[in-house]
Amino acid sequence: MAAVTELSFLLFALINYIHAQERIIIQKERSSYTFKLPENTNSCLISRSVGEEKLVLWNTSDLWSNSSSVPEDLKLRLVSSVKTSSYTILNLTHSDSGRYREECWTEGNVTHENNITITVCTTSTDGRYIGAIFGETVDLPCEGAADNLDVQWLKQDSRYETWSRVFGDKTTSVMDNVRERYQVVTDISDLRVSNVTATDVTEYRCLVMNQQQCVSSYTVKLRLRYEVIYHSVGETAVLPCTITDSTDEQPPRWSNQISRYLGQQKQTVPSVDQNYSLVFSSLMLNHSGWYDCKVSGRRQQYYLVVCPKFGPPAVELFSEGEEVTLRCRDWRKGWWHHWFIKSHRTEGRIFSLMSNQRMSRVSWYYDNGILVISNISVGDAGEYWCAVYDGVSQCLSIDRTVLMMQMFPYHLY
């Protein structure tokens, strides 16, 4: 019972902490913003801080009188709603940017406090989705950034819809707990996220600033990309579920698109271990397919490929700057084929060459099963796999080629 009471107290403290945090709002120029104040209060005060100076904008109990403190230019753009106790500023300008504070009283006691930072930008653009898998390093682009402009990066807490400042300028992190994993690429202002974890999978905003004025706001959403897991028949496979955290009320659930095959042989049915990983003790070809681990609206997805037992890989040697051609020998035997890389620099993780952002120098010629890597470098070393599939996406065969740097022996004269 004591443990339940303690847990309830911690959850209450967490919720209060989240609501006490400063809310960061990004609004487009000439749009509007609404202050939603609690009902049944005697009066509320809205103030704005400009530097060290605190400017009282208005008191809701004395809003429209001649002695009201509301600036005339703001009063013309202010709309109130008695029914919902809301106050809307219309036609926002850059001068409306700043730190706002809401304070409300009931019978002399403060019953509501809220801190808000509003940044009004000239333009606001929804960006694109960037995919990553856990442990990967990914760059988030900042569209519109230039060398002579400052950049601020914000990160959204996807659970509570609050924003945190990741970087206040191009070089200084303001999140101490992630200082080593978050870096701004100074020449292009991209945000580099190293060793991606579940807490990184959310929405980011890049604010392009000209002195104190926001020129543009650009949104980038970091999402989990499916991870390819390769195995051969008879092996054991483990699909980790690493998206859980201490606040989840329910354990994660696994689902798949081949459930009609499961249960045919008891020894091949996957099980879930104490870490919520999905475990296959003896893989079969028909275990290939999509597997999802879901918890609290978050999802981690795998594509499991089970191929017939493969023999030793071919070995190709290369020198820096060369062009290397790899061939998928069995590509004619199936309906389609796909190239993957097991890179040395990613600790053995397997990436699709179609989605790996690092492989911009790779050309895939689908009609003849050829893969060409131009201007090859040491970082391209690794094991390249070509998987051949039949009409129901079952693996028929796999070609493996290991690319190794040519090591020239020293000659003694």
Side-chain angles (χ1 to χ4, degrees):
M1 185 68 180
V4 174
T5 303
E6 182 179 359
L7 178 59
S8 299
F9 174 79
L10 291 175
L11 289 175
F12 178 78
L14 174 63
I15 293 171
N16 277 328
Y17 170 74
I18 291 299
H19 287 294
Q21 281 185 306
E22 176 188 38
R23 294 179 59 204
I24 300 176
I25 308 295
I26 312 299
Q27 295 291 101
K28 187 178 178 180
E29 191 176 20
R30 292 185 293 277
S31 65
S32 63
Y33 179 75
T34 300
F35 295 89
K36 297 179 180 179
L37 303 176
E39 299 179 6
N40 303 319
T41 56
N42 297 134
S43 64
C44 294
L45 191 70
I46 306 294
S47 60
R48 183 176 72 209
S49 296
V50 180
E52 298 298 324
E53 182 182 357
K54 184 177 180 181
L55 176 65
V56 176
L57 295 183
W58 69 81
N59 189 323
T60 59
S61 62
D62 182 29
L63 187 60
W64 306 114
S65 68
N66 293 331
S67 60
S68 171
S69 61
V70 182
E72 288 301 320
D73 67 310
L74 182 58
K75 187 181 292 187
L76 295 174
R77 297 183 288 121
L78 189 61
V79 178
S80 65
S81 173
V82 178
K83 292 184 179 180
T84 59
S85 298
S86 64
Y87 299 84
T88 301
I89 301 178
L90 303 175
N91 196 23
L92 289 169
T93 67
H94 287 289
S95 62
D96 296 315
S97 297
R99 290 178 291 142
Y100 290 78
R101 180 171 175 80
E102 303 172 351
E103 295 177 274
C104 296
W105 295 267
T106 301
E107 298 180 355
N109 297 316
V110 176
T111 55
H112 172 78
E113 295 178 282
N114 195 18
N115 295 312
I116 304 169
T117 294
I118 299 178
T119 299
V120 181
C121 283
T122 304
T123 61
S124 182
T125 306
D126 287 333
R128 52 195 174 99
Y129 289 91
I130 300 294
I133 64 175
F134 289 136
E136 190 179 14
T137 295
V138 64
D139 288 350
L140 307 182
C142 182
E143 187 176 276
D147 292 339
N148 61 332
L149 298 177
D150 291 327
V151 169
Q152 296 181 14
W153 276 97
L154 306 178
K155 174 186 175 184
Q156 185 182 55
D157 185 319
S158 57
R159 193 179 297 262
Y160 298 104
E161 297 186 355
T162 58
W163 290 88
S164 301
R165 298 184 189 276
V166 180
F167 272 82
D169 53 45
K170 290 186 178 182
T171 59
T172 307
S173 171
V174 295
M175 297 181 67
D176 291 337
N177 59 328
V178 295
R179 186 184 297 274
E180 296 180 356
R181 294 196 304 107
Y182 283 57
Q183 295 178 332
V184 171
V185 184
T186 55
D187 56 341
I188 53 177
S189 299
D190 286 2
L191 180 67
R192 178 163 296 164
V193 184
S194 302
N195 189 24
V196 170
T197 66
T199 59
D200 301 320
V201 181
T202 184
E203 186 171 305
Y204 295 80
R205 278 197 175 181
C206 172
L207 305 184
V208 180
M209 310 293 293
N210 186 0
Q211 297 181 355
Q212 299 299 315
Q213 183 169 305
C214 182
V215 177
S216 63
S217 168
Y218 183 69
T219 303
V220 184
K221 296 180 180 179
L222 181 59
R223 293 291 181 262
L224 278 182
R225 190 179 71 242
Y226 72 87
E227 184 169 358
V228 179
I229 304 293
Y230 263 107
H231 280 283
S232 60
V233 171
E235 292 181 340
T236 297
V238 178
L239 278 57
C241 184
T242 54
I243 57 174
T244 59
D245 60 39
S246 58
T247 64
D248 293 322
E249 297 180 357
Q250 299 292 330
R253 293 184 300 155
W254 282 94
S255 62
N256 63 79
Q257 297 180 5
I258 59 168
S259 57
R260 62 185 181 276
Y261 296 118
L262 301 181
Q264 293 177 352
Q265 298 183 28
K266 293 183 179 180
Q267 68 270 22
T268 65
V269 176
S271 60
V272 179
D273 65 12
Q274 67 274 14
N275 297 320
Y276 304 114
S277 299
L278 192 65
V279 180
F280 297 80
S281 58
S282 182
L283 285 168
M284 301 174 62
L285 288 175
N286 59 20
H287 282 146
S288 295
W290 297 95
Y291 291 85
D292 292 343
C293 175
K294 300 177 182 178
V295 59
S296 301
R298 305 186 302 278
R299 182 177 75 164
Q300 187 172 4
Q301 189 175 48
Y302 294 92
Y303 184 58
L304 176 63
V305 178
V306 184
C307 290
K309 290 186 178 294
F310 30 71
V315 177
E316 292 276 350
L317 301 179
F318 67 88
S319 299
E320 193 95 16
E322 287 184 342
E323 182 177 275
V324 174
T325 299
L326 303 179
R327 288 178 170 80
C328 187
R329 293 184 294 272
D330 293 337
W331 71 276
R332 296 179 184 273
K333 295 181 180 180
W335 283 49
W336 60 289
H337 66 281
H338 209 139
W339 283 93
F340 299 89
I341 177 176
K342 185 176 182 181
S343 176
H344 293 337
R345 61 184 170 182
T346 54
E347 299 179 352
R349 287 184 178 271
I350 300 171
F351 297 97
S352 166
L353 292 186
M354 294 294 291
S355 60
N356 187 358
Q357 60 179 348
R358 299 185 184 91
M359 304 302 293
S360 59
R361 292 171 289 101
V362 173
S363 300
W364 179 17
Y365 298 94
Y366 188 81
D367 292 337
N368 56 15
I370 289 179
L371 189 78
V372 177
I373 307 173
S374 60
N375 192 23
I376 199 166
S377 65
V378 176
D380 298 321
E383 194 168 315
Y384 290 75
W385 298 10
C386 177
V388 179
Y389 303 91
D390 63 13
V392 292
S393 299
Q394 187 165 291
C395 182
L396 298 175
S397 66
I398 189 165
D399 279 338
R400 298 189 300 158
T401 303
V402 175
L403 285 185
M404 299 178 60
M405 186 72 175
Q406 177 77 53
M407 303 300 292
F408 294 99
Y410 291 101
H411 296 280
L412 300 178
Y413 295 96

